[in-house]
Amino acid sequence: MRARSALVYTVLRLLFFLVPFGIMMLFPILREYYWLAAIFAALIGLSLSLLLLRKPLDDMTSGLRRRRAEERTAPSDEEAEDAR
């Protein structure tokens, strides 16, 4: 996994939550019910993430899958010692 793809995905997910939350905090009624604004911002952020972050998510998961496959195919220490 490249650290850059994970960082990009994480930052964008945070922005997709924080921007709607900040906008909703401008409304007086939602300032009183901040927990409701947080729920709405989470739903908006989830929806935006599903629609717009497909590529960064695929990059991150493919990197994780590749690294995991490398770990499985690499011989263990005991097998390497036995081969010598």
Side-chain angles (χ1 to χ4, degrees):
M1 174 179 79
R2 293 185 347 207
R4 184 178 185 277
S5 61
L7 183 66
V8 166
Y9 182 73
T10 303
V11 167
L12 289 174
R13 284 287 309 256
L14 283 172
L15 283 175
F16 284 167
F17 171 76
L18 292 175
V19 170
F21 184 71
I23 291 171
M24 283 188 268
M25 286 284 95
L26 296 175
F27 297 109
I29 189 71
L30 290 175
R31 228 180 277 147
E32 187 175 331
Y33 298 108
Y34 63 90
W35 55 271
L36 192 60
I39 291 172
F40 287 151
L43 291 173
I44 292 169
L46 177 66
S47 301
L48 288 174
S49 296
L50 289 174
L51 293 173
L52 302 175
L53 293 183
R54 178 66 59 198
K55 174 121 174 56
L57 179 62
D58 287 342
D59 290 344
M60 190 171 72
T61 55
S62 66
L64 285 171
R65 187 179 323 118
R66 191 177 18 219
R67 190 171 80 183
R68 191 165 221 196
E70 289 172 1
E71 288 175 0
R72 287 185 181 168
T73 59
S76 67
D77 290 339
E78 294 174 0
E79 291 173 353
E81 289 175 4
D82 290 342
R84 287 186 210 161

